[in-house]
Amino acid sequence: MRSARLPNLLPALVAGMALSGFTLLSLPATAADALEHKAEVAQGKARQEDLEKGKALYLQNCAACHQPEGQGLPGAFPPLAKSDFIAADPGTVLEITLKGRQGKITVNGVEYNNVMPAMSYLSDKDLSRIITFVLNSWDNPGGIVTRKQVAAYRAKTETEAKQAAGERHPGSGEAEQAYAAQPSQITDARARRTPGAPAISEAEYNRATQIFFERCAGCHGVLRKGATGKPLTPDITMVKGTEYLKALIKFGSPAGMPNWGTSGELNDADIDIMARFLQHEPPAPPEWGMPEMKGSWKVLVPVEDRPTRQENNLNLQNIFAVTLRDSGEVALIDGDTKEIVTTIKTGYAVHISRLSDSGRYVYTIGRDGKVDLIDLWSKVPQTVAEIRVGLEARSVETSKYEGYKDKYAIAGAYWPPQFVLMDGATLEPKKIVSTRGMTVTDQEYHPEPRVAAIVASHQHPEFIVNVKETGRILLVNYSDIENLGITTIDAKEFLHDGGWDSTLRYFITAANKSNTVVVVDSKDRKLVAKVPVDEIPHPGRGANFIHKKHGPVWATSALGNDKITLIGTDPARHPDQAWKVVQVLKGQGGGSLFVKTHPKSKNLWVDTPLNPEEKISQTVAVFNIDNLDAGYQVLPIAEWAKLGPGPKRIVQPEYNVAGDEVWFSVWSGMNEESAIVVVNDKTRKLKKVIKGPRIITPTGKFNVFNTGHDVY
């Protein structure tokens, strides 16, 4: 037995195809960058059984890049056969297979500059067999690496044990994946072929289009021009070639590209189809303009036929509109009795419900772009108008400025990238505005900047519109709709969700992938601040409360870490703290989507539904606002729901109108039982579980009063 450095096996298995694109990373490695590693290689003869199994594992996990005989791919993946790199330093294989590597290396006189992803998702036994097979093949120096040696090195380097069982998305958190790569709802797109690209049949093209919209468009954009991910257009992908792309898709990369093949989510046939598909022009979804909108627009109950007063005995201020995601419905639940009033068919997977200022109308928007207008005054609340504003959408809002309350509605689309102003009582489309344009940082044209959050100003007759990819915030003045005035504020790319401070003057919103919170003064109509925060803030609408030391603050949690960030919001009385991070709380973990409190509450609630750990995703953390330094209490919400099997996640705390109850969705699979758990806000004890066959994958919940009056 002799000490040696294990060879740099697979030093560039996959080029840097990050979640944000298939582009190569140029991160040169220097001697100072080299990782510390020590391992032993036995000089004995490897067992034939292990070599055979190692070969099979190699062909399954490595050959797509380094080829079946270890010859590599010129210009892309270095050879493992007769490798002078391995012969000179047979000591880094184990290190790099477990931890990955990026940067320049030279193998057999040729320089490569790619990314090798960590293969820690493989078991200790499988890794030992692959390494031993390579060491003993193709004129390499020989040697044996045992399972115990792999386990010891894994423990020594603190490579996460969970990865040994299989990590779906190496280098990219599950939370980020679930958030960023939501499937597109676009189903109708025209096929386009690129001369010189690999042959692909009509059936294969259609299959690839489906996969792309389901798994890729959320990051890379419908047109593959780049969104939160970088472009995947033919000028980029054709240079790489089919085999290269197959490897990238199969194995992923440490920079964030999911390993769609080794995770089991795509089979080899689909990977081959996708590798060829990506070298062709992306399919072109149809536009959706005024003729299409008017063709989808229906007034089911004319205004003149609607009630002139409330015809039911419901306490409308305490009604909850609850998204039943997978059934394409919204449940209206009585917050007093905890009974379902009715369920209403809506667009697919309603993203949000918004309430008219009067509290009469509920506006919902599905991810398929369908807007439904629900009249709460009807004897049984019902849909009175509907329209489809695009092929994919996320946001809707109603006018709230004095003199214009309930007059207009607005909806923003992901595709086409645009928003539309509508009559508030009928949804008749009045004005469509495209959001295509230049990004704020690089001043480069972006063909599909999606409309994210929309809020209604309380200071002017305006809607505030987040244009995600360009990083622009639009102040849309509707006082003269025929001469629409739009003020553009250059903020930060990847604008997403946000809400108001407690005075309803300052709009505070996350530019998530820029790790920034942006503040806009809606009264003076200008940018106030760009506040750096840590790793993918996701506030929902945020949470406002009075900090004992720093005065009024607004809180956001994050997808990428366990931090809850508090930002001062009172420039008049606390100028030194205004628009600065005044405190960072440590929560349960990353993967949070919402924080919530209420003016009458002393609690700050933080969910973590996208955390990969069950004990975290199935519970919530709650802080005492008056004693934040004491840390959080964990409440077992999923356990309280007493449900059967299913992937339970706890999402979106929402208060009742009195502020003494907080509601949580226990979101399980479509075919498993879900529930809504109601907690006493003062005692933090279980109060009620709402469940049954009509509660199907509940996600968002929106209290009529709190939502309509921006109470959070």
Side-chain angles (χ1 to χ4, degrees):
M1 195 95 48
R2 65 179 174 85
S3 293
R5 291 178 175 249
L6 288 175
N8 191 351
L9 175 68
L10 322 179
L13 177 72
V14 182
M17 181 173 134
L19 178 65
S20 56
F22 289 105
T23 54
L24 289 175
L25 299 181
S26 296
L27 300 173
T30 66
D33 297 324
L35 298 169
E36 292 292 326
H37 53 80
K38 290 182 180 179
E40 292 186 338
V41 179
Q43 290 301 293
K45 188 175 181 180
R47 294 193 308 161
Q48 188 61 31
E49 178 187 2
D50 287 332
L51 290 175
E52 290 175 359
K53 290 183 177 178
K55 181 178 181 179
L57 288 163
Y58 173 86
L59 292 173
Q60 180 183 352
N61 293 280
C62 315
C65 298
H66 297 284
Q67 301 301 287
E69 298 301 320
Q71 69 268 35
L73 281 175
F77 308 118
L80 303 179
K82 232 180 223 184
S83 168
D84 62 359
F85 194 95
I86 292 176
D89 183 15
T92 59
V93 174
L94 181 55
E95 171 197 7
I96 293 180
T97 52
L98 274 174
K99 302 187 72 170
R101 179 171 175 174
Q102 53 193 7
K104 294 179 180 179
I105 65 166
T106 299
V107 181
N108 297 346
V110 178
E111 185 177 271
Y112 298 86
N113 187 10
N114 297 334
V115 176
M116 162 70 186
M119 299 183 72
S120 50
Y121 59 86
L122 294 174
S123 70
D124 298 338
K125 181 186 288 187
D126 286 350
L127 281 172
S128 75
R129 285 170 168 167
I130 291 174
I131 296 169
T132 299
F133 167 74
V134 172
L135 288 174
N136 290 274
S137 301
W138 315 308
D139 295 326
N140 284 327
I144 302 170
V145 175
T146 69
R147 178 175 60 181
K148 288 183 178 180
Q149 289 169 335
V150 177
Y153 188 77
R154 192 193 295 270
K156 179 180 178 179
T157 57
E158 298 182 342
T159 305
E160 294 185 26
K162 68 178 184 179
Q163 293 180 330
E167 186 183 33
R168 293 178 60 226
H169 302 292
S172 179
E174 294 290 317
E176 182 176 351
Q177 292 294 327
Y179 156 73
Q182 299 179 65
S184 171
Q185 295 306 300
I186 298 171
T187 57
D188 182 17
R190 301 187 308 274
R192 298 192 293 178
R193 300 297 201 278
T194 300
I200 187 168
S201 70
E202 194 69 23
E204 290 174 330
Y205 194 100
N206 292 338
R207 170 62 177 161
T209 298
Q210 178 188 356
I211 293 172
F212 184 82
F213 286 154
E214 288 179 351
R215 303 184 184 272
C216 315
C219 291
H220 299 287
V222 170
L223 300 178
R224 306 208 310 256
K225 299 286 188 179
T228 51
K230 291 184 179 178
L232 301 176
T233 48
D235 60 311
I236 297 170
T237 55
M238 287 182 69
V239 175
K240 310 297 187 210
T242 301
E243 293 304 313
Y244 185 90
L245 295 175
K246 283 166 64 175
L248 294 170
I249 297 167
K250 183 170 184 175
F251 294 101
S253 84
M257 173 67 191
N259 56 322
W260 295 114
T262 55
S263 69
E265 296 186 49
L266 292 179
N267 59 36
D268 287 344
D270 281 340
I271 290 170
D272 178 69
I273 291 170
M274 290 302 298
R276 288 180 281 130
F277 167 79
L278 291 173
Q279 297 174 74
H280 291 268
E281 289 291 328
E287 298 292 321
W288 194 264
M290 190 61 75
E292 290 81 10
M293 287 191 198
K294 286 195 171 181
S296 72
W297 172 50
K298 297 178 184 176
V299 179
L300 305 173
V301 181
V303 174
E304 59 269 23
D305 295 337
R306 298 175 195 172
T308 56
R309 58 180 177 81
Q310 186 179 338
E311 292 184 341
N312 54 60
N313 297 318
L314 299 169
N315 176 10
L316 295 185
Q317 291 191 337
N318 204 32
I319 294 293
F320 288 76
V322 181
T323 298
L324 305 178
R325 176 189 168 103
D326 292 330
S327 67
E329 296 175 307
V330 163
L332 299 178
I333 300 180
D334 188 326
D336 296 339
T337 67
K338 313 299 188 291
E339 299 292 330
I340 297 176
V341 176
T342 187
T343 57
I344 297 171
K345 283 290 181 185
T346 59
Y348 169 73
V350 163
H351 194 67
I352 58 171
S353 295
R354 289 291 177 258
L355 281 298
S356 64
D357 190 86
S358 66
R360 173 175 183 173
Y361 291 117
V362 180
Y363 298 79
T364 70
I365 189 163
R367 285 174 51 192
D368 57 0
K370 186 171 180 282
V371 177
D372 289 277
L373 177 61
I374 300 167
D375 188 358
L376 297 178
W377 282 13
S378 299
K379 188 172 182 178
V380 177
Q382 62 179 324
T383 301
V384 295
E386 64 183 43
I387 189 173
R388 195 175 186 194
V389 299
L391 302 182
E392 188 171 353
R394 297 293 190 277
S395 52
V396 68
E397 183 60 287
T398 68
S399 53
K400 295 181 179 179
Y401 187 68
E402 196 66 41
Y404 294 89
K405 294 181 177 181
D406 297 1
K407 185 175 178 62
Y408 293 115
I410 183 174
Y414 270 25
W415 185 268
Q418 62 193 27
F419 62 85
V420 56
L421 294 169
M422 301 167 286
D423 181 88
T426 67
L427 301 182
E428 180 184 5
K430 297 291 189 181
K431 182 81 69 174
I432 302 172
V433 179
S434 172
T435 56
R436 294 178 169 105
M438 305 298 177
T439 62
V440 297
T441 301
D442 299 325
Q443 297 290 295
E444 293 181 351
Y445 179 74
H446 200 294
E448 53 173 313
R450 298 171 288 183
V451 178
I454 302 175
V455 298
S457 174
H458 299 266
Q459 308 292 328
H460 298 282
E462 291 179 336
F463 293 115
I464 301 177
V465 179
N466 277 354
V467 185
K468 190 168 186 161
E469 280 75 27
T470 63
R472 290 195 158 89
I473 298 173
L474 309 179
L475 310 183
V476 182
N477 190 296
Y478 50 73
S479 60
D480 182 358
I481 199 168
E482 294 303 319
N483 297 282
L484 200 65
I486 299 178
T487 299
T488 301
I489 294 175
D490 287 355
K492 201 76 172 173
E493 288 92 340
F494 312 115
L495 294 163
H496 192 243
D497 212 353
W500 295 104
D501 80 307
S502 58
T503 69
L504 303 182
R505 173 174 175 172
Y506 297 98
F507 175 54
I508 310 171
T509 185
N512 50 52
K513 289 290 286 186
S514 297
N515 297 328
T516 301
V517 166
V518 177
V519 183
V520 171
D521 183 342
S522 70
K523 182 178 181 180
D524 291 343
R525 308 174 72 250
K526 65 181 184 180
L527 178 71
V528 172
K530 301 176 186 177
V531 186
V533 297
D534 198 6
E535 203 167 356
I536 317 179
H538 195 287
R541 291 204 154 188
N544 292 296
F545 62 92
I546 305 299
H547 193 285
K548 289 180 69 173
K549 180 180 180 181
H550 302 294
V553 299
W554 178 92
T556 180
S557 55
L559 285 163
N561 55 52
D562 60 5
K563 297 176 181 179
I564 299 100
T565 302
L566 311 183
I567 297 171
T569 63
D570 186 7
R573 292 170 296 175
H574 297 80
D576 292 341
Q577 286 79 38
W579 320 128
K580 298 175 183 175
V581 175
V582 299
Q583 189 173 358
V584 178
L585 309 175
K586 179 178 174 60
Q588 284 202 91
S592 175
L593 291 179
F594 298 98
V595 292
K596 186 71 71 171
T597 188
H598 188 277
K600 297 179 181 179
S601 174
K602 293 297 183 181
N603 290 323
L604 175 66
W605 301 87
V606 185
D607 69 10
T608 43
L610 300 182
N611 195 284
E613 301 293 330
E614 283 190 7
K615 66 180 181 181
I616 297 177
S617 66
Q618 299 191 10
T619 59
V620 298
V622 54
F623 293 81
N624 183 336
I625 288 170
D626 291 335
N627 190 15
L628 294 170
D629 293 337
Y632 56 83
Q633 179 184 359
V634 176
L635 298 188
I637 303 296
E639 180 182 321
W640 287 350
K642 293 186 177 332
L643 302 177
K648 294 175 271 302
R649 297 180 184 272
I650 312 305
V651 67
Q652 199 209 23
E654 178 75 356
Y655 276 88
N656 65 345
V657 65
D660 58 10
E661 293 176 356
V662 60
W663 292 35
F664 297 92
S665 295
V666 185
W667 181 19
S668 196
M670 181 176 181
N671 298 315
E672 286 81 27
E673 192 176 22
S674 295
I676 295 169
V677 171
V678 182
V679 177
N680 184 308
D681 185 68
K682 270 189 185 178
T683 66
R684 301 181 179 176
K685 302 294 185 183
L686 174 66
K687 187 169 184 178
K688 179 75 173 180
V689 177
I690 305 170
K691 58 184 177 181
R694 300 169 75 184
I695 302 295
I696 302 169
T697 57
T699 52
K701 302 167 299 302
F702 303 91
N703 176 269
V704 166
F705 182 88
N706 294 336
T707 303
H709 293 83
D710 292 310
V711 177
Y712 37 82

